Amino acid sequence: MMKMDNTTSPQAIFWFRQDLRLKDNPGLNAATQAGMVLPIYIDETPEAGQEAMGGASRVWVHHSLSSLNKSLGGNLSLYRGRAETIIKKLCETYTIKQVFWNRCYEPWRKTRDTHLKKQLTERSITATSFNGSLLWEPWTIRKPDDTPYRVFTPFYQKGCLNAPPPRIPVTALKTITLFKDTRHSIELDALGFLPGHRWQEKIITQWTISEAGAHKQLAYFMKNSLAHYKKGRDLPAKPWVSRLSPYLHFGEISVHQVWYAALAQGLMAEPFCRELGWREFSYHLLYSNPNLRTKNLQPKFDDFPWRDDPDDLAAWQQGLTGIPMVDAGMHELWATGYMHNRVRMIVGSFLVKNLRLDWRHGERWFWDCLVDADLANNSASWQWIAGCGADAAPYFRVFNPVTQAQKFDPDGVYIHTHLPELANLAPPYLFAPWDAPPQILQAAGVMLGTTYPHPIIDLKKSREEALAAFAEIKTAAP
Protein backbone atom coordinates (compact mmCIF):
# COMPACT_ATOMS: atom_id res chain seq x y z
CA MET A 1 0.00 0.00 0.00
CA MET A 2 1.32 3.45 -0.96
CA LYS A 3 1.04 6.31 1.50
CA MET A 4 1.77 9.91 0.61
CA ASP A 5 3.02 12.43 3.13
CA ASN A 6 4.09 15.84 1.87
CA THR A 7 3.70 17.55 5.24
CA THR A 8 7.20 16.58 6.35
CA SER A 9 10.51 15.94 4.63
CA PRO A 10 11.63 12.57 3.26
CA GLN A 11 14.39 10.62 4.97
CA ALA A 12 15.75 8.90 1.86
CA ILE A 13 15.91 9.05 -1.93
CA PHE A 14 15.43 5.98 -4.05
CA TRP A 15 16.76 6.46 -7.56
CA PHE A 16 14.98 4.31 -10.16
CA ARG A 17 17.12 3.39 -13.16
CA GLN A 18 17.00 -0.02 -14.88
CA ASP A 19 14.76 -1.40 -12.14
CA LEU A 20 11.32 0.01 -12.93
CA ARG A 21 9.40 -2.23 -10.54
CA LEU A 22 8.25 -2.54 -6.94
CA LYS A 23 8.65 -6.30 -6.40
CA ASP A 24 12.08 -7.80 -5.76
CA ASN A 25 13.70 -4.38 -5.72
CA PRO A 26 16.46 -4.57 -3.08
CA GLY A 27 17.40 -0.90 -3.27
CA LEU A 28 13.80 0.25 -2.87
CA ASN A 29 13.26 -2.15 0.02
CA ALA A 30 16.29 -0.77 1.82
CA ALA A 31 15.17 2.81 1.21
CA THR A 32 11.73 2.20 2.69
CA GLN A 33 13.32 0.86 5.86
CA ALA A 34 15.05 4.23 6.27
CA GLY A 35 11.71 6.06 6.46
CA MET A 36 9.72 8.22 4.07
CA VAL A 37 11.07 7.86 0.52
CA LEU A 38 11.39 10.34 -2.33
CA PRO A 39 11.32 8.11 -5.46
CA ILE A 40 13.02 9.70 -8.47
CA TYR A 41 13.90 8.99 -12.09
CA ILE A 42 16.46 11.05 -14.03
CA ASP A 43 16.72 11.24 -17.81
CA GLU A 44 20.50 11.15 -18.18
CA THR A 45 20.63 11.84 -21.90
CA PRO A 46 22.83 14.95 -21.48
CA GLU A 47 25.66 12.99 -19.86
CA ALA A 48 25.21 9.61 -21.55
CA GLY A 49 26.67 10.86 -24.83
CA GLN A 50 26.91 8.12 -27.47
CA GLU A 51 25.35 5.67 -25.02
CA ALA A 52 22.13 7.62 -24.60
CA MET A 53 19.05 5.48 -25.15
CA GLY A 54 17.96 4.85 -28.72
CA GLY A 55 14.53 5.71 -30.07
CA ALA A 56 12.79 2.41 -29.30
CA SER A 57 14.18 2.32 -25.76
CA ARG A 58 12.93 5.84 -25.11
CA VAL A 59 9.43 4.84 -26.19
CA TRP A 60 9.58 1.83 -23.88
CA VAL A 61 10.80 3.85 -20.89
CA HIS A 62 8.11 6.51 -21.38
CA HIS A 63 5.36 3.93 -21.04
CA SER A 64 7.14 2.05 -18.28
CA LEU A 65 7.53 5.23 -16.22
CA SER A 66 3.86 6.01 -16.73
CA SER A 67 2.94 2.60 -15.33
CA LEU A 68 5.45 2.85 -12.48
CA ASN A 69 4.12 6.25 -11.48
CA LYS A 70 0.62 4.80 -11.22
CA SER A 71 1.95 1.98 -9.04
CA LEU A 72 3.54 4.63 -6.81
CA GLY A 73 0.28 6.52 -6.48
CA GLY A 74 1.48 9.37 -8.70
CA ASN A 75 4.48 10.05 -6.46
CA LEU A 76 7.36 9.47 -8.89
CA SER A 77 9.42 12.63 -9.33
CA LEU A 78 11.04 13.12 -12.75
CA TYR A 79 14.08 15.13 -13.78
CA ARG A 80 16.39 15.68 -16.73
CA GLY A 81 20.05 16.54 -16.46
CA ARG A 82 23.21 15.52 -14.62
CA ALA A 83 22.42 13.06 -11.87
CA GLU A 84 25.09 14.40 -9.51
CA THR A 85 23.70 17.91 -9.71
CA ILE A 86 20.07 16.85 -9.29
CA ILE A 87 20.64 14.46 -6.39
CA LYS A 88 22.84 16.88 -4.49
CA LYS A 89 20.24 19.61 -4.93
CA LEU A 90 17.48 17.34 -3.63
CA CYS A 91 19.56 16.35 -0.63
CA GLU A 92 20.14 20.00 0.20
CA THR A 93 16.52 21.00 -0.34
CA TYR A 94 15.06 18.30 1.88
CA THR A 95 18.02 17.61 4.21
CA ILE A 96 18.20 14.01 3.05
CA LYS A 97 20.94 11.84 4.56
CA GLN A 98 20.49 8.56 2.67
CA VAL A 99 20.41 7.77 -1.06
CA PHE A 100 19.76 4.29 -2.47
CA TRP A 101 19.96 2.78 -5.93
CA ASN A 102 20.51 -0.51 -7.75
CA ARG A 103 23.70 -0.85 -9.71
CA CYS A 104 24.07 -0.39 -13.46
CA TYR A 105 27.12 -1.70 -15.31
CA GLU A 106 27.67 0.58 -18.28
CA PRO A 107 31.20 1.98 -17.97
CA TRP A 108 30.12 5.62 -17.90
CA ARG A 109 27.60 4.89 -15.18
CA LYS A 110 30.12 2.95 -13.10
CA THR A 111 32.52 5.90 -13.20
CA ARG A 112 29.82 8.43 -12.42
CA ASP A 113 28.30 6.37 -9.61
CA THR A 114 31.68 5.98 -7.93
CA HIS A 115 32.22 9.73 -8.08
CA LEU A 116 28.70 10.43 -6.82
CA LYS A 117 29.15 8.12 -3.84
CA LYS A 118 32.37 9.92 -2.95
CA GLN A 119 30.74 13.33 -3.19
CA LEU A 120 27.75 12.31 -1.08
CA THR A 121 29.96 10.69 1.54
CA GLU A 122 31.97 13.92 1.83
CA ARG A 123 28.68 15.65 2.67
CA SER A 124 27.88 13.05 5.36
CA ILE A 125 25.20 11.49 3.14
CA THR A 126 25.11 7.70 2.99
CA ALA A 127 24.95 6.32 -0.56
CA THR A 128 24.17 2.61 -0.83
CA SER A 129 23.87 0.50 -3.98
CA PHE A 130 22.54 -3.00 -4.53
CA ASN A 131 22.48 -5.74 -7.13
CA GLY A 132 19.05 -5.62 -8.72
CA SER A 133 19.92 -6.70 -12.27
CA LEU A 134 22.25 -9.72 -12.38
CA LEU A 135 22.31 -13.22 -10.95
CA TRP A 136 26.01 -12.90 -10.19
CA GLU A 137 28.02 -9.71 -9.95
CA PRO A 138 30.58 -9.61 -12.79
CA TRP A 139 33.57 -9.46 -10.47
CA THR A 140 32.53 -12.53 -8.49
CA ILE A 141 32.89 -15.06 -11.33
CA ARG A 142 36.57 -15.61 -12.04
CA LYS A 143 38.83 -18.36 -13.29
CA PRO A 144 41.03 -20.16 -10.73
CA ASP A 145 43.89 -17.77 -11.61
CA ASP A 146 41.57 -14.80 -10.82
CA THR A 147 41.34 -13.65 -14.44
CA PRO A 148 38.04 -13.17 -16.29
CA TYR A 149 36.58 -15.91 -18.46
CA ARG A 150 36.70 -15.58 -22.23
CA VAL A 151 34.68 -18.67 -23.16
CA PHE A 152 31.04 -19.11 -22.23
CA THR A 153 30.83 -22.81 -21.33
CA PRO A 154 33.44 -22.79 -18.54
CA PHE A 155 32.14 -19.40 -17.41
CA TYR A 156 28.67 -20.83 -16.92
CA GLN A 157 29.41 -24.38 -15.84
CA LYS A 158 32.55 -23.91 -13.76
CA GLY A 159 32.02 -20.32 -12.72
CA CYS A 160 28.33 -19.57 -12.30
CA LEU A 161 26.98 -22.99 -11.40
CA ASN A 162 29.74 -23.54 -8.83
CA ALA A 163 29.28 -20.11 -7.28
CA PRO A 164 26.85 -19.41 -4.43
CA PRO A 165 23.31 -19.52 -5.88
CA PRO A 166 21.59 -16.27 -6.82
CA ARG A 167 19.74 -14.56 -4.01
CA ILE A 168 16.10 -15.45 -3.46
CA PRO A 169 13.79 -12.63 -4.66
CA VAL A 170 13.01 -10.22 -1.84
CA THR A 171 9.44 -9.68 -0.74
CA ALA A 172 7.95 -6.29 -1.51
CA LEU A 173 7.04 -4.24 1.54
CA LYS A 174 3.33 -3.98 2.19
CA THR A 175 3.42 -0.31 3.08
CA ILE A 176 5.62 2.43 1.62
CA THR A 177 5.38 6.06 2.65
CA LEU A 178 6.28 8.32 -0.26
CA PHE A 179 7.07 11.97 -0.80
CA LYS A 180 6.55 13.85 -4.09
CA ASP A 181 8.91 16.68 -4.97
CA THR A 182 6.45 19.26 -6.26
CA ARG A 183 9.09 22.00 -6.47
CA HIS A 184 11.42 20.61 -9.11
CA SER A 185 9.83 17.52 -10.68
CA ILE A 186 8.76 17.81 -14.32
CA GLU A 187 5.97 16.06 -16.24
CA LEU A 188 6.63 12.80 -18.07
CA ASP A 189 5.95 14.33 -21.48
CA ALA A 190 8.57 17.00 -20.75
CA LEU A 191 11.27 14.29 -20.85
CA GLY A 192 10.64 14.12 -24.60
CA PHE A 193 10.95 10.35 -24.88
CA LEU A 194 8.24 9.95 -27.51
CA PRO A 195 9.10 10.75 -31.13
CA GLY A 196 7.22 13.35 -33.12
CA HIS A 197 6.06 10.77 -35.68
CA ARG A 198 3.71 7.79 -35.45
CA TRP A 199 6.36 5.05 -35.78
CA GLN A 200 6.05 4.16 -32.12
CA GLU A 201 2.29 3.57 -32.19
CA LYS A 202 2.59 0.11 -33.76
CA ILE A 203 5.42 -0.90 -31.45
CA ILE A 204 3.47 -0.30 -28.27
CA THR A 205 0.60 -2.48 -29.50
CA GLN A 206 3.01 -5.45 -29.39
CA TRP A 207 3.74 -5.14 -25.66
CA THR A 208 2.18 -4.52 -22.25
CA ILE A 209 4.86 -2.20 -20.90
CA SER A 210 4.57 -2.47 -17.14
CA GLU A 211 5.60 -4.60 -14.19
CA ALA A 212 2.27 -6.42 -14.42
CA GLY A 213 2.88 -6.97 -18.14
CA ALA A 214 6.27 -8.50 -17.39
CA HIS A 215 4.81 -10.99 -14.95
CA LYS A 216 2.00 -11.82 -17.37
CA GLN A 217 4.57 -12.54 -20.07
CA LEU A 218 6.62 -14.70 -17.68
CA ALA A 219 3.52 -16.69 -16.70
CA TYR A 220 2.58 -17.20 -20.37
CA PHE A 221 6.08 -18.39 -21.23
CA MET A 222 6.26 -20.81 -18.33
CA LYS A 223 2.85 -22.29 -19.14
CA ASN A 224 2.91 -22.39 -22.93
CA SER A 225 6.44 -22.14 -24.26
CA LEU A 226 9.12 -23.37 -21.86
CA ALA A 227 8.53 -27.03 -22.71
CA HIS A 228 9.18 -26.22 -26.39
CA TYR A 229 12.06 -23.84 -25.78
CA LYS A 230 15.07 -26.10 -26.43
CA LYS A 231 14.25 -26.60 -30.11
CA GLY A 232 11.47 -24.08 -30.56
CA ARG A 233 13.65 -21.07 -29.78
CA ASP A 234 15.13 -21.43 -33.28
CA LEU A 235 11.74 -21.22 -35.02
CA PRO A 236 10.82 -17.55 -35.52
CA ALA A 237 7.22 -18.28 -36.55
CA LYS A 238 6.53 -20.04 -33.24
CA PRO A 239 5.71 -18.29 -29.91
CA TRP A 240 8.34 -20.33 -28.09
CA VAL A 241 10.79 -17.69 -26.94
CA SER A 242 10.30 -15.77 -23.71
CA ARG A 243 10.13 -12.19 -25.09
CA LEU A 244 11.28 -11.10 -21.64
CA SER A 245 14.45 -9.30 -22.76
CA PRO A 246 13.11 -5.70 -22.65
CA TYR A 247 11.46 -6.34 -19.29
CA LEU A 248 14.73 -7.70 -17.93
CA HIS A 249 16.79 -4.83 -19.28
CA PHE A 250 14.59 -2.07 -17.90
CA GLY A 251 13.78 -4.04 -14.81
CA GLU A 252 10.02 -4.39 -14.87
CA ILE A 253 10.89 -7.89 -13.69
CA SER A 254 14.09 -9.10 -12.06
CA VAL A 255 16.29 -11.84 -13.43
CA HIS A 256 16.08 -13.48 -10.01
CA GLN A 257 12.32 -13.79 -10.34
CA VAL A 258 12.70 -15.29 -13.81
CA TRP A 259 15.52 -17.65 -12.78
CA TYR A 260 13.63 -19.16 -9.86
CA ALA A 261 10.36 -19.34 -11.78
CA ALA A 262 12.18 -21.39 -14.41
CA LEU A 263 13.95 -23.64 -11.90
CA ALA A 264 10.58 -24.48 -10.39
CA GLN A 265 9.69 -26.14 -13.71
CA GLY A 266 12.38 -28.79 -13.33
CA LEU A 267 14.82 -30.15 -15.91
CA MET A 268 13.09 -28.63 -18.92
CA ALA A 269 14.22 -25.20 -17.66
CA GLU A 270 17.92 -25.94 -18.24
CA PRO A 271 18.17 -24.61 -21.83
CA PHE A 272 16.42 -21.38 -20.85
CA CYS A 273 18.54 -20.92 -17.72
CA ARG A 274 21.59 -21.38 -19.90
CA GLU A 275 20.43 -18.48 -22.05
CA LEU A 276 20.12 -16.36 -18.91
CA GLY A 277 23.73 -17.40 -18.37
CA TRP A 278 24.63 -15.85 -21.74
CA ARG A 279 23.16 -12.60 -20.48
CA GLU A 280 25.44 -12.84 -17.44
CA PHE A 281 28.41 -13.61 -19.70
CA SER A 282 27.80 -10.45 -21.73
CA TYR A 283 27.99 -8.37 -18.55
CA HIS A 284 31.09 -10.29 -17.49
CA LEU A 285 32.73 -9.32 -20.80
CA LEU A 286 31.64 -5.69 -20.51
CA TYR A 287 32.98 -5.42 -16.97
CA SER A 288 36.39 -6.69 -18.09
CA ASN A 289 36.33 -4.84 -21.43
CA PRO A 290 34.80 -1.37 -20.99
CA ASN A 291 35.30 -0.64 -24.71
CA LEU A 292 33.28 -3.69 -25.76
CA ARG A 293 30.96 -1.54 -27.83
CA THR A 294 33.68 -0.15 -30.07
CA LYS A 295 36.85 -2.24 -29.77
CA ASN A 296 37.37 -5.68 -31.27
CA LEU A 297 38.12 -8.20 -28.55
CA GLN A 298 40.35 -9.97 -31.06
CA PRO A 299 42.90 -7.32 -32.18
CA LYS A 300 43.58 -9.03 -35.50
CA PHE A 301 40.20 -7.71 -36.68
CA ASP A 302 41.50 -4.16 -36.33
CA ASP A 303 42.99 -4.66 -39.80
CA PHE A 304 39.97 -6.33 -41.35
CA PRO A 305 39.11 -4.79 -44.76
CA TRP A 306 35.53 -3.71 -44.12
CA ARG A 307 33.66 -2.28 -47.11
CA ASP A 308 32.24 1.23 -47.07
CA ASP A 309 28.94 1.21 -48.93
CA PRO A 310 26.20 3.51 -47.57
CA ASP A 311 23.68 2.22 -50.14
CA ASP A 312 24.09 -1.40 -49.05
CA LEU A 313 23.88 -0.37 -45.40
CA ALA A 314 20.66 1.55 -46.06
CA ALA A 315 19.18 -1.42 -47.95
CA TRP A 316 19.97 -3.67 -44.97
CA GLN A 317 18.50 -1.20 -42.47
CA GLN A 318 15.30 -0.81 -44.48
CA GLY A 319 14.86 -4.50 -45.28
CA LEU A 320 15.38 -3.99 -49.00
CA THR A 321 18.23 -6.43 -49.63
CA GLY A 322 16.22 -8.76 -51.88
CA ILE A 323 16.98 -11.65 -49.50
CA PRO A 324 13.58 -12.53 -47.94
CA MET A 325 14.76 -13.94 -44.60
CA VAL A 326 16.97 -10.91 -44.03
CA ASP A 327 14.30 -8.42 -45.08
CA ALA A 328 11.63 -10.11 -42.96
CA GLY A 329 13.85 -9.74 -39.90
CA MET A 330 14.54 -6.08 -40.53
CA HIS A 331 10.82 -5.42 -41.07
CA GLU A 332 9.99 -7.21 -37.81
CA LEU A 333 12.53 -4.99 -36.05
CA TRP A 334 11.06 -1.77 -37.42
CA ALA A 335 7.45 -2.77 -36.76
CA THR A 336 7.83 -4.28 -33.28
CA GLY A 337 11.09 -3.03 -31.78
CA TYR A 338 12.13 -6.67 -31.51
CA MET A 339 13.66 -9.43 -33.59
CA HIS A 340 13.70 -13.16 -32.99
CA ASN A 341 17.16 -14.30 -31.87
CA ARG A 342 17.72 -16.80 -34.68
CA VAL A 343 16.89 -14.06 -37.18
CA ARG A 344 19.24 -11.64 -35.39
CA MET A 345 22.06 -14.07 -36.15
CA ILE A 346 21.00 -14.35 -39.78
CA VAL A 347 20.74 -10.61 -40.46
CA GLY A 348 23.93 -9.98 -38.50
CA SER A 349 25.89 -12.54 -40.47
CA PHE A 350 24.56 -11.08 -43.72
CA LEU A 351 25.70 -7.59 -42.74
CA VAL A 352 29.23 -8.44 -41.61
CA LYS A 353 30.04 -11.39 -43.85
CA ASN A 354 28.05 -11.08 -47.07
CA LEU A 355 28.00 -7.29 -47.24
CA ARG A 356 31.28 -7.12 -45.28
CA LEU A 357 30.17 -3.97 -43.48
CA ASP A 358 31.61 -3.16 -40.05
CA TRP A 359 29.69 -4.85 -37.21
CA ARG A 360 29.54 -1.51 -35.42
CA HIS A 361 27.02 -0.30 -38.03
CA GLY A 362 24.74 -3.14 -36.99
CA GLU A 363 25.29 -2.49 -33.30
CA ARG A 364 24.29 1.14 -33.71
CA TRP A 365 21.15 0.30 -35.72
CA PHE A 366 20.00 -2.29 -33.23
CA TRP A 367 20.74 0.14 -30.41
CA ASP A 368 18.31 2.62 -31.89
CA CYS A 369 15.60 0.19 -33.01
CA LEU A 370 15.42 -2.50 -30.30
CA VAL A 371 13.21 -2.10 -27.26
CA ASP A 372 15.60 -4.49 -25.50
CA ALA A 373 18.75 -2.57 -26.50
CA ASP A 374 21.29 -3.46 -23.84
CA LEU A 375 24.89 -2.27 -24.00
CA ALA A 376 26.41 -5.54 -22.81
CA ASN A 377 24.19 -7.94 -24.75
CA ASN A 378 24.07 -5.92 -27.96
CA SER A 379 27.83 -5.35 -28.10
CA ALA A 380 28.83 -8.90 -27.15
CA SER A 381 26.32 -10.39 -29.59
CA TRP A 382 27.53 -8.31 -32.52
CA GLN A 383 31.14 -9.17 -31.75
CA TRP A 384 30.11 -12.83 -31.54
CA ILE A 385 28.45 -12.88 -34.95
CA ALA A 386 31.31 -10.89 -36.49
CA GLY A 387 33.84 -13.41 -35.20
CA CYS A 388 35.91 -10.78 -33.41
CA GLY A 389 34.59 -11.31 -29.89
CA ALA A 390 35.23 -13.66 -27.01
CA ASP A 391 33.90 -17.16 -27.61
CA ALA A 392 32.83 -15.89 -31.02
CA ALA A 393 31.30 -17.75 -33.90
CA PRO A 394 34.29 -18.32 -36.22
CA TYR A 395 34.42 -15.78 -39.00
CA PHE A 396 34.31 -18.59 -41.54
CA ARG A 397 30.88 -19.61 -40.21
CA VAL A 398 28.58 -17.73 -42.56
CA PHE A 399 24.84 -18.09 -42.09
CA ASN A 400 23.31 -18.69 -45.49
CA PRO A 401 19.94 -16.87 -45.24
CA VAL A 402 18.33 -19.15 -47.82
CA THR A 403 19.20 -22.44 -46.12
CA GLN A 404 18.49 -20.88 -42.72
CA ALA A 405 14.99 -19.97 -43.91
CA GLN A 406 14.46 -23.45 -45.33
CA LYS A 407 15.46 -25.01 -42.03
CA PHE A 408 13.86 -22.68 -39.50
CA ASP A 409 10.89 -21.23 -41.42
CA PRO A 410 10.10 -24.15 -43.75
CA ASP A 411 6.50 -23.14 -44.40
CA GLY A 412 7.41 -19.48 -44.88
CA VAL A 413 5.08 -18.29 -42.12
CA TYR A 414 7.61 -15.86 -40.65
CA ILE A 415 8.55 -14.38 -44.02
CA HIS A 416 4.92 -14.04 -45.10
CA THR A 417 4.09 -12.30 -41.82
CA HIS A 418 6.65 -9.58 -42.32
CA LEU A 419 6.82 -9.39 -46.12
CA PRO A 420 3.20 -9.27 -47.33
CA GLU A 421 4.44 -8.38 -50.81
CA LEU A 422 5.56 -12.05 -51.05
CA ALA A 423 2.33 -13.46 -49.57
CA ASN A 424 1.45 -15.41 -52.71
CA LEU A 425 4.93 -16.80 -53.31
CA ALA A 426 5.30 -20.24 -51.75
CA PRO A 427 8.36 -22.24 -50.69
CA PRO A 428 10.82 -23.13 -52.03
CA TYR A 429 10.91 -20.05 -54.27
CA LEU A 430 9.88 -17.83 -51.38
CA PHE A 431 13.35 -18.24 -49.91
CA ALA A 432 15.16 -17.29 -53.13
CA PRO A 433 12.78 -15.45 -55.51
CA TRP A 434 15.57 -14.84 -58.02
CA ASP A 435 15.59 -18.58 -58.76
CA ALA A 436 11.85 -18.73 -59.45
CA PRO A 437 10.66 -19.24 -63.05
CA PRO A 438 9.01 -16.13 -64.51
CA GLN A 439 5.58 -17.79 -64.58
CA ILE A 440 5.80 -18.57 -60.84
CA LEU A 441 6.66 -14.96 -60.03
CA GLN A 442 3.92 -13.66 -62.30
CA ALA A 443 1.31 -15.93 -60.71
CA ALA A 444 2.38 -14.71 -57.27
CA GLY A 445 2.19 -11.06 -58.31
CA VAL A 446 5.92 -10.57 -57.71
CA MET A 447 7.93 -8.34 -60.05
CA LEU A 448 11.59 -8.37 -59.06
CA GLY A 449 12.93 -4.87 -59.11
CA THR A 450 9.43 -3.42 -58.75
CA THR A 451 7.30 -5.07 -56.07
CA TYR A 452 10.32 -6.72 -54.43
CA PRO A 453 14.04 -5.92 -54.87
CA HIS A 454 16.61 -7.90 -56.78
CA PRO A 455 19.30 -9.24 -54.41
CA ILE A 456 21.85 -6.54 -53.70
CA ILE A 457 24.64 -9.11 -53.54
CA ASP A 458 25.45 -12.64 -54.71
CA LEU A 459 25.43 -14.89 -51.64
CA LYS A 460 27.98 -17.41 -52.87
CA LYS A 461 30.42 -14.88 -54.26
CA SER A 462 30.19 -12.60 -51.23
CA ARG A 463 30.83 -15.55 -48.91
CA GLU A 464 33.97 -16.44 -50.83
CA GLU A 465 35.17 -12.82 -50.72
CA ALA A 466 34.55 -12.65 -46.98
CA LEU A 467 36.55 -15.82 -46.37
CA ALA A 468 39.38 -14.48 -48.52
CA ALA A 469 39.43 -11.25 -46.51
CA PHE A 470 39.53 -13.25 -43.28
CA ALA A 471 42.37 -15.39 -44.60
CA GLU A 472 44.41 -12.23 -45.20
CA ILE A 473 44.19 -10.98 -41.61
CA LYS A 474 44.69 -14.51 -40.29
CA THR A 475 47.92 -14.79 -42.25
CA ALA A 476 49.05 -11.32 -41.19
CA ALA A 477 48.30 -11.91 -37.49
CA PRO A 478 51.43 -12.38 -35.32
Side-chain angles (χ1 to χ4, degrees):
M1 181 174 63
M2 302 297 161
K3 292 183 178 180
M4 178 178 178
D5 184 355
N6 273 27
T7 61
T8 57
S9 292
Q11 282 76 47
I13 287 174
F14 178 70
W15 180 16
F16 281 101
R17 309 201 291 175
Q18 292 170 358
D19 49 7
L20 304 180
R21 64 183 184 273
L22 302 187
K23 298 177 181 177
D24 191 38
N25 192 320
L28 177 61
N29 271 33
T32 59
Q33 294 171 22
M36 191 191 320
V37 177
L38 167 57
I40 69 172
Y41 178 87
I42 303 171
D43 170 23
E44 303 178 81
T45 298
E47 60 180 311
Q50 293 297 312
E51 294 178 9
M53 289 187 296
S57 293
R58 291 166 67 85
V59 169
W60 183 279
V61 171
H62 174 94
H63 292 283
S64 188
L65 288 175
S66 176
S67 175
L68 177 63
N69 188 41
K70 292 177 183 177
S71 298
L72 292 169
N75 293 308
L76 180 63
S77 296
L78 303 173
Y79 311 88
R80 188 173 194 271
R82 293 183 60 83
E84 293 181 20
T85 302
I86 291 167
I87 290 175
K88 284 190 293 183
K89 183 177 181 180
L90 290 172
C91 288
E92 292 170 359
T93 301
Y94 297 110
T95 322
I96 290 172
K97 292 300 181 182
Q98 296 189 72
V99 181
F100 299 85
W101 65 77
N102 293 311
R103 286 186 281 277
C104 293
Y105 302 89
E106 294 87 350
W108 70 274
R109 280 195 167 110
K110 284 169 49 187
T111 300
R112 192 276 318 286
D113 290 355
T114 299
H115 188 253
L116 175 57
K117 278 189 176 182
K118 181 175 182 293
Q119 287 193 323
L120 292 175
T121 300
E122 290 172 351
R123 290 168 171 76
S124 300
I125 299 170
T126 301
T128 311
S129 61
F130 299 83
N131 173 18
S133 300
L134 297 177
L135 296 170
W136 295 276
E137 295 279 27
W139 56 86
T140 65
I141 306 299
R142 311 287 284 184
K143 293 193 292 186
D145 62 1
D146 200 36
T147 59
Y149 284 93
R150 297 272 295 198
V151 179
F152 171 72
T153 297
F155 164 80
Y156 183 63
Q157 294 184 346
K158 295 181 180 180
C160 297
L161 298 185
N162 285 326
R167 63 168 176 79
I168 301 297
V170 298
T171 303
L173 296 179
K174 294 182 179 179
T175 301
I176 305 176
T177 304
L178 302 173
F179 181 91
K180 176 69 177 284
D181 173 30
T182 56
R183 302 188 199 180
H184 312 104
S185 177
I186 62 177
E187 296 298 318
L188 177 58
D189 287 344
L191 294 180
F193 282 166
L194 297 182
H197 48 79
R198 302 183 65 180
W199 157 75
Q200 57 99 14
E201 293 179 4
K202 187 173 182 179
I203 287 182
I204 62 174
T205 65
Q206 311 294 315
W207 307 89
T208 303
I209 307 174
S210 64
E211 182 173 3
H215 284 274
K216 181 179 180 181
Q217 182 62 34
L218 175 64
Y220 177 89
F221 174 63
M222 292 296 151
K223 180 180 179 180
N224 300 291
S225 305
L226 182 64
H228 306 282
Y229 183 80
K230 185 175 182 179
K231 293 183 178 179
R233 65 191 176 95
D234 282 324
L235 305 175
K238 299 293 186 180
W240 290 338
V241 292
S242 75
R243 288 177 65 91
L244 288 169
S245 51
Y247 298 109
L248 284 170
H249 174 66
F250 291 109
E252 290 87 4
I253 196 169
S254 79
V255 68
H256 300 84
Q257 292 169 313
V258 174
W259 174 265
Y260 283 105
L263 288 184
Q265 304 302 312
L267 291 177
M268 68 177 176
E270 194 281 330
F272 177 66
C273 288
R274 185 178 175 87
E275 291 304 306
L276 293 178
W278 271 102
R279 179 177 183 268
E280 300 287 314
F281 186 50
S282 295
Y283 276 86
H284 180 80
L285 292 175
L286 178 63
Y287 183 79
S288 303
N289 305 274
N291 295 321
L292 184 66
R293 188 179 194 186
T294 56
K295 185 177 180 181
N296 297 310
L297 287 183
Q298 295 188 35
K300 66 183 178 183
F301 276 85
D302 293 345
D303 297 321
F304 190 83
W306 300 111
R307 295 174 61 241
D308 181 15
D309 193 321
D311 291 338
D312 280 358
L313 176 60
W316 177 82
Q317 291 171 333
Q318 297 168 29
L320 297 173
T321 68
I323 312 294
M325 195 61 173
V326 173
D327 293 342
M330 301 309 290
H331 283 218
E332 180 190 20
L333 174 63
W334 187 254
T336 69
Y338 180 83
M339 189 190 297
H340 188 279
N341 189 62
R342 167 58 59 173
V343 186
R344 294 189 197 200
M345 291 190 285
I346 296 169
V347 304
S349 176
F350 182 80
L351 178 75
V352 300
K353 295 175 181 177
N354 294 103
L355 296 183
R356 210 156 23 97
L357 298 176
D358 196 320
W359 62 269
R360 283 158 281 228
H361 291 305
E363 189 278 336
R364 291 301 304 175
W365 188 250
F366 273 27
W367 180 259
D368 196 38
C369 296
L370 282 171
V371 292
D372 64 9
D374 178 287
L375 184 66
N377 292 337
N378 196 38
S379 303
S381 295
W382 273 101
Q383 292 227 34
W384 182 87
I385 198 64
C388 60
D391 199 19
Y395 189 83
F396 54 78
R397 182 187 181 190
V398 181
F399 287 77
N400 184 310
V402 174
T403 57
Q404 288 281 307
Q406 292 169 341
K407 182 176 182 180
F408 297 114
D409 188 32
D411 298 323
V413 174
Y414 177 80
I415 293 176
H416 283 152
T417 298
H418 298 289
L419 294 180
E421 59 268 41
L422 300 181
N424 295 319
L425 187 61
Y429 297 117
L430 173 65
F431 309 128
W434 56 91
D435 286 338
Q439 62 270 25
I440 295 292
L441 293 176
Q442 183 177 6
V446 176
M447 297 178 60
L448 293 183
T450 303
T451 63
Y452 187 71
H454 289 287
I456 62 174
I457 204 161
D458 181 275
L459 292 176
K460 182 179 179 180
K461 181 180 178 182
S462 61
R463 180 182 185 276
E464 293 171 350
E465 291 174 347
L467 295 181
F470 175 67
E472 288 182 16
I473 66 165
K474 187 177 180 181
T475 302

